[in-house]
Amino acid sequence: MTLEPDKIGDRGPSGTPSPPAASDGVPATLRRTARARFGKIGLSHFSLVSKLAAMLLLTGLISAALVAGIGYFNGREQISEQAVAQLESIKGSKRQQVEWYFRQMRETFKTFGEDVTVISAMAAFKDGYSQLGRQKPADERRARLMDYYAKEFLPKLAGETNVPSLQALMPGTDRALELQMLYIAENPNPASERGNLIDHPVSNAYTLAHYTYHPWFRDLIGRFKFYDLFLIDGETGDIIYTVEKEPDLGTNLIDGPYASSSLGRLAQAVMKSRQRGTAQLIDLSFYQPSGNAPAMFIATPIYSNWKFLGVLAAQVSTSALAEFMTNDRGWQMDGLGKTGEIYLAGEDRLMRSDARGMLEDKTGFLASPATTALPEATRKRMAAFDTTILLQPVDTESVRQALQGRAGTAEFIDFQGQEVLGSFAPLDIPDLNWILVVKRSTAELFAGLDTFARRVMIATLLLALAIPLLATLLARQFLKPLNALLAGIERLRAGEKEVAVAAHGSDEFSELTSAFNTMASTIRERDETIQAKSSAYEALLKHIFPDVVAERLKYGEGQMFESIPQTTVAFVSIYGFVQAMQDSDGDGERSFKLLNEIVDAFDSIAEENGVEKVKTIGEHYLAACGLSIPRLDHAQRMIEFADEIAAELERVNYAHGLSLSLRIGVDSGLVHAGLVGNRRFVYDIWGRPPNVARRMVSEASLNEIRLSEATFQELGSPADFEAREPFQSTTLGSVQTYGRTLATASGQKSKRSQTTDPKAAE
């Protein structure tokens, strides 16, 4: 069907030809009138009020833009210069503090190696340690230590990679075993307070040395804010003393479980060099005895006169480093506002200090998009240790520049994806390749400037608008007819049909208004005609095709093809229809009415059951379920449809004195559907299910429904269907079918007969 809108409304109400319309629907008369009246109007024809209003308004806007632009860019430049100077000042100050902090730590720690108390303690602990383990420890004590590893220490490492076995962690010598039993397994204090045990109930040379020197060492790490302190035998590599009594106590740093740790590598380097009067640092890494928390160590050799005794090492406290880096969380006091921070990074481009966001709002930081994008194991470690050290990547341009030895200040995107102004520089710390970054959000830096710019712009605009206010009011009065006409056009464009604009006076606006009213009337009449034809076309499509296909055709789809995997197809054959027509002397009109009555009844039942009619071929009826609308129970619906049309045919037989019967074939599976043909198209389905269903009809008995194996399984192997003898087909192969007698009026009535039978209603 082809609609021809160009021929609609080609005559006016009186029958005379209407003015031809342009392609945009505007009548040519209206177009010529507009050109005749307004084509000559230029700037010189505007009224004085309009010219004055336009000039003053334009001048005001230009002035506002210039003032705001100059003020904004000058202000931004000044704020940027001040921010750069401030960040560089903070960077320089903090850089000196960090370098001084580690320099003083190194110098102070070197003196410990020559302190008489440390030397005496080293000798006493070595002597006491050598006397341990002379008797094999009791199984009960050994079991208690194993219980500590199994229930306390190993659970802390759960989820970590490369976790050693219990046997690998247990001390390898009876001496080390005895030491851990004394101060770990038999320590009455909780894990975090094992260092509080001074006087052990067991009396021997080691516990005496511990009673003598432990308070001094514990006070030492408290004053210098170390996490732990170690005495390492220079001959054997055994850790013979620690303050915190973690599982590294008594282990060997040459071939023990922690030999490859950062403490092990540092101790081996000091024992190898034995350079007196020096202290060495090693970068942060995850230290297993501390529950895989980030740890950093410093060590120095211990000499008695010229004899090398061993190594004094300390575990640097990361909390002390965080307190130092953040000025005890005094970011705003340092001039960093609400978003600024200072952090350290290593050559692996991971943080060596805590992020401000983690310290201020741990929950918010862990939930931020940048953090949630990190691996789950990394986020869990952050949450467990309350730190970003060695966990937060900072692979930014500033970090890359600083690691290459450059210092500077620039705008860049930080590790949280925010635009910041940052100042960066490498740090001069022997043994550590670290850099320092000071940054602050540009949004915070320029927040005051943006507020100032908005205020200046608003004030300037108000001033510019106040001057031409009176002229603008007069201009609006002048343009009132045109505004009314524009409002009418908007109503017309919005779809309003009855649109008419009142015309006043006899000027050009009045003539334009009259032309608009004529155009609106013409468009309304044409739209009504087009709508009527479109409705008829849509109704015709829905009578011919399924609703979904009709909708797609309505919107211009010419070619349609779909493959529907879950569909049940039924091929229905009305047996006896041809013979009945012959018995009625070939009355074509009577057969036509009877066939229409049967097909209409089948269509109604199909609609009630969610089944779609595909087509009818004489006395044959093809239907499908799940075609346009996917249905989980497509097979069950088709069986109900079959029983109901059988009952309906029984009613037709009774009403017309006929003996028509049905034979129905049903199959389920993949069906292809689409519009076939380019000039004269029809909606059809094809595939195995339609072929099998059609073929099964020829095998079925009268008033019998045959199911394929696929439909039988889809229905859950219903008991009322019995297996029939498989039939052979050249194209389909061997086809197993199942059948039963259709439910007719003798069994159940159709929904249609139930609602129309007066006796049933009673």
Side-chain angles (χ1 to χ4, degrees), residues 169-465:
L169 291 174
M170 289 289 290
T173 65
D174 290 342
R175 186 181 296 121
L177 193 67
E178 177 70 22
L179 184 59
Q180 288 202 2
M181 287 189 296
L182 287 172
Y183 287 96
I184 296 180
E186 298 169 2
N187 195 320
N189 299 308
S192 60
E193 299 177 9
R194 288 199 180 100
N196 292 336
L197 177 61
I198 299 174
D199 188 11
H200 200 285
V202 176
S203 179
N204 55 42
Y206 187 91
T207 58
L208 179 61
H210 191 276
Y211 176 77
T212 303
Y213 294 104
H214 181 69
W216 187 84
F217 281 122
R218 190 176 63 172
D219 179 67
L220 181 69
I221 67 170
R223 284 188 289 112
F224 287 92
K225 296 184 178 180
F226 292 129
Y227 174 78
D228 201 357
L229 187 138
F230 309 81
L231 291 178
I232 304 165
D233 192 322
E235 297 178 2
T236 63
D238 292 330
I239 301 177
I240 60 176
Y241 168 79
T242 70
V243 174
E244 290 298 321
K245 307 299 186 291
E246 290 185 336
D248 48 10
L249 177 64
T251 61
N252 189 278
L253 293 180
I254 296 176
D255 57 8
Y258 310 116
S260 61
S261 68
S262 54
L263 176 60
R265 297 195 307 273
L266 179 62
Q268 292 168 26
V270 174
M271 287 188 289
K272 182 178 180 180
S273 66
R274 298 189 179 189
Q275 189 172 355
R276 190 170 186 173
T278 62
Q280 295 184 44
L281 280 165
I282 193 166
D283 201 351
L284 281 157
S285 64
F286 296 112
Y287 189 55
Q288 200 171 75
S290 297
N292 263 341
M296 177 181 182
F297 297 93
I298 185 171
T300 187
I302 303 173
Y303 276 87
S304 177
N305 294 326
W306 295 102
K307 181 181 179 181
F308 175 67
L309 297 180
V311 178
L312 174 68
Q315 185 172 341
V316 180
S317 172
T318 56
S319 59
L321 183 62
E323 181 180 344
F324 171 76
M325 286 297 300
T326 64
N327 192 20
D328 199 15
R329 305 195 181 190
W331 294 284
Q332 296 196 38
M333 294 176 59
D334 283 343
L336 292 173
K338 296 180 179 179
T339 61
E341 67 174 315
I342 308 170
Y343 64 82
L344 302 171
E347 58 186 345
D348 54 5
R349 300 175 188 176
L350 295 174
M351 272 193 169
R352 295 300 191 270
S353 59
D354 285 310
R356 178 177 180 176
M358 186 68 174
L359 297 174
E360 283 188 326
D361 181 13
K362 175 182 174 181
T363 302
F365 181 84
L366 293 176
S368 65
T371 306
T372 54
L374 297 176
E376 183 179 0
T378 301
R379 298 197 307 271
K380 285 184 177 179
R381 274 193 173 183
M382 283 185 180
F385 296 118
D386 294 330
T387 186
T388 57
I389 297 175
L390 297 178
L391 297 171
Q392 177 61 59
V394 283
D395 190 10
T396 64
E397 182 61 28
S398 61
V399 172
R400 291 191 289 269
Q401 291 286 333
L403 287 173
Q404 293 174 7
R406 301 188 184 98
T409 303
E411 290 187 21
F412 56 90
I413 303 300
D414 73 349
F415 61 90
Q416 291 180 307
Q418 298 176 345
E419 186 175 344
V420 299
L421 179 66
S423 189
F424 51 88
L427 294 174
D428 183 14
I429 305 174
D431 304 323
L432 300 178
N433 185 15
W434 284 9
I435 60 96
L436 180 140
V437 177
V438 184
K439 69 180 182 69
R440 192 175 177 188
S441 167
T442 55
E444 182 185 16
L445 284 172
F446 300 116
L449 175 63
D450 293 338
T451 303
F452 168 75
R454 285 195 298 269
R455 290 175 179 174
V456 170
M457 184 174 294
I458 292 172
T460 308
L461 285 174
L462 290 176
L463 180 63
L465 292 173

Side-chain angles (χ1 to χ4, degrees), residues 12 18 33 35 58 88 97 182 187 212 216 267 275 332 355 463 477 514 539 548 569 581 622 626 654 691 711:
S18 297
T33 302
R35 281 200 299 266
L58 184 61
E88 289 186 342
Q97 292 176 22
L182 287 172
N187 195 320
T212 303
W216 187 84
Q275 189 172 355
Q332 296 196 38
L463 180 63
Q477 184 64 29
S514 298
V548 175
V569 177
M581 293 306 98
L622 181 62
Y654 179 78
N691 291 335
T711 306

Side-chain angles (χ1 to χ4, degrees), residues 572-578 595 602 616-621 662:
V572 181
S573 179
I574 305 173
Y575 180 77
F577 183 81
V578 176
L595 187 59
F602 285 9
T616 59
I617 309 171
E619 67 272 24
H620 304 297
Y621 189 97
L662 292 181

Side-chain angles (χ1 to χ4, degrees), residues 518-548:
T518 301
M519 180 192 69
S521 176
T522 302
I523 292 175
R524 180 174 64 252
E525 293 173 0
R526 185 173 65 182
D527 286 349
E528 290 174 352
T529 303
I530 293 174
Q531 183 62 37
K533 291 189 176 183
S534 296
S535 298
Y537 175 65
E538 183 177 347
L540 179 60
L541 286 178
K542 289 188 176 181
H543 276 85
I544 298 175
F545 301 107
D547 289 348
V548 175

Side-chain angles (χ1 to χ4, degrees), residues 15 27 43 98 106 114 188 229 245 247 283 307 400 490 539 556 562 581 591 636 679 692 755:
L43 184 61
V98 173
R106 191 186 299 270
E114 300 177 356
L229 187 138
K245 307 299 186 291
D283 201 351
K307 181 181 179 181
R400 291 191 289 269
E490 286 297 323
E562 291 181 295
M581 293 306 98
S591 64
Q636 183 61 41
R679 299 194 179 188
V692 172
T755 56

